[in-house]
């Protein structure tokens, strides 16, 4: 009986450690620096970003999925003409970016280090000051309160696919990474973005699993 109790205790302890280990690797905090290359930048500065990603369990092929988001800011300046209803409006704005996406991650082990190859597909959004672009008037109906106020944030956005490939190096629960991405803005915004607005980006990151 004593042997059975001791064995049961050890099994429960090992199971708890395994569950704790799995749980500790479900969340990933990412902070880093990015540089977007565009011919419409008149001032180029590296930006900083931070984000959260949820890591799904690793399958038998040592592959797992990550879903998450990053928010970044740079003092770089974009200058371009925004086209609306056949008219061009000059834009000069700092760089705010928001990424929402999915990553497929393949794991490799080299001695006591883990290496991950990352393939990312996401939605990349450039947020900019909309300057003198005329606003679209919201449709009103008789049931709306006449005292309703609309808050104008003076911003507009361009959204694009983000297609990236990167590599990470892990030591325990701390990692570093680098990734290159392509941003085809004109895929969705051909009518309002100038020709040549598509760009590339390079990102370096510091990662924490918990």
């Amino acid at each position: 009986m004593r042997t059975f109790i001791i064995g049961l205790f050890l099994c429960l302890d090992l199971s708890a450690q395994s569950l704790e280990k799995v749980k500790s690797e479900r969340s990933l905090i990412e902070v880093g620096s990015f540089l977007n290359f565009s011919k419409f930048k008149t001032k180029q500065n590296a930006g900083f970003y931070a984000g959260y990603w949820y890591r799904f369990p690793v399958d038998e092929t040592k592959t797992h999925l990550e879903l998450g988001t990053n928010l970044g800011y740079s003092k770089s300046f974009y200058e371009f003409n925004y086209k609306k209803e056949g008219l061009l409006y000059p834009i000069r704005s700092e760089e705010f970016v928001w990424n929402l996406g999915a990553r497929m991650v393949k794991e490799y082990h080299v001695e006591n280090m883990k290496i991950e190859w990352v393939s990312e597909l996401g939605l990349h959004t450039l947020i900019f000051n909309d300057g003198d672009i005329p606003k679209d008037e919201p449709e009103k109906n008789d049931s709306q309160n006449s005292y309703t106020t609309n808050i104008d944030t003076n911003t507009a956005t361009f959204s694009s696919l983000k297609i990236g490939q990167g590599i990470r190096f892990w030591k325990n629960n701390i990692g570093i990474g680098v990734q290159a991405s392509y941003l085809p803005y004109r895929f969705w915004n051909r009518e309002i973005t100038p020709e040549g607005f598509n760009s590339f980006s390079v990102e370096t990151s510091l990662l924490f699993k918990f």
Side-chain angles (χ1 to χ4, degrees):
M1 185 66 176
R2 180 184 299 176
T3 303
F4 173 77
I5 294 174
I6 294 174
L8 180 61
F9 175 79
L10 290 174
C11 290
L12 290 174
D13 185 56
L14 289 173
S15 298
Q17 290 179 11
S18 298
L19 289 173
E20 183 179 356
K21 182 178 180 181
V22 171
K23 182 179 178 181
S24 70
E25 294 182 354
R26 290 294 178 90
S27 295
L28 184 148
I29 295 294
E30 180 177 25
V31 294
S33 177
F34 70 94
L35 196 60
N36 289 337
F37 297 93
S38 172
K39 71 177 186 179
F40 291 93
K41 280 187 174 182
T42 58
K43 182 181 179 182
Q44 178 74 287
N45 284 301
F48 299 92
Y49 72 91
Y52 171 83
W53 294 78
Y54 181 82
R55 296 164 56 91
F56 287 85
V58 178
D59 64 17
E60 64 276 2
T61 66
K62 298 297 182 181
T63 304
H64 71 270
L65 176 68
E66 295 178 357
L67 298 177
T69 183
N70 288 332
L71 186 65
Y73 165 73
S74 165
K75 289 186 177 180
S76 299
F77 267 93
Y78 280 88
E79 287 191 8
F80 58 92
N81 289 323
Y82 183 97
K83 187 176 181 180
K84 184 173 183 179
E85 298 179 353
L87 298 176
L88 297 176
Y89 299 91
I91 297 295
R92 186 173 189 269
S93 176
E94 292 180 307
E95 183 177 32
F96 295 88
V97 294
W98 176 51
N99 292 308
L100 179 67
R103 295 170 174 172
M104 191 63 68
V105 183
K106 175 71 173 179
E107 296 183 1
Y108 301 91
H109 292 269
V110 179
E111 295 181 353
N112 60 344
M113 178 180 292
K114 183 168 69 174
I115 299 174
E116 293 180 339
W117 183 260
V118 182
S119 299
E120 180 174 348
L121 179 63
L123 178 67
H124 174 91
T125 301
L126 172 65
I127 306 168
F128 58 90
N129 189 320
D130 62 2
D132 298 323
I133 301 174
K135 306 296 187 298
D136 294 325
E137 292 294 332
E139 295 183 1
K140 296 182 179 180
N141 53 56
D142 296 336
S143 62
Q144 284 183 311
N145 191 320
S146 59
Y147 296 101
T148 300
T149 59
N150 295 317
I151 299 175
D152 187 1
T153 59
N154 294 317
T155 60
T157 62
F158 284 153
S159 293
S160 167
L161 291 175
K162 181 181 180 183
I163 306 166
Q165 294 286 310
I167 190 170
R168 300 169 177 167
F169 301 91
W170 290 93
K171 185 68 174 179
N172 297 324
N173 286 344
I174 300 177
I176 58 174
V178 62
Q179 179 170 306
S181 303
Y182 177 56
L183 309 170
Y185 283 101
R186 283 173 58 81
F187 182 77
W188 285 328
N189 308 284
R190 189 176 299 274
E191 298 300 321
I192 59 177
T193 53
E195 187 174 351
F197 203 82
N198 296 346
S199 63
F200 292 90
S201 73
V202 176
E203 304 148 34
T204 57
S205 59
L206 181 63
L207 309 136
F208 304 91
K209 291 187 297 185
F210 62 95

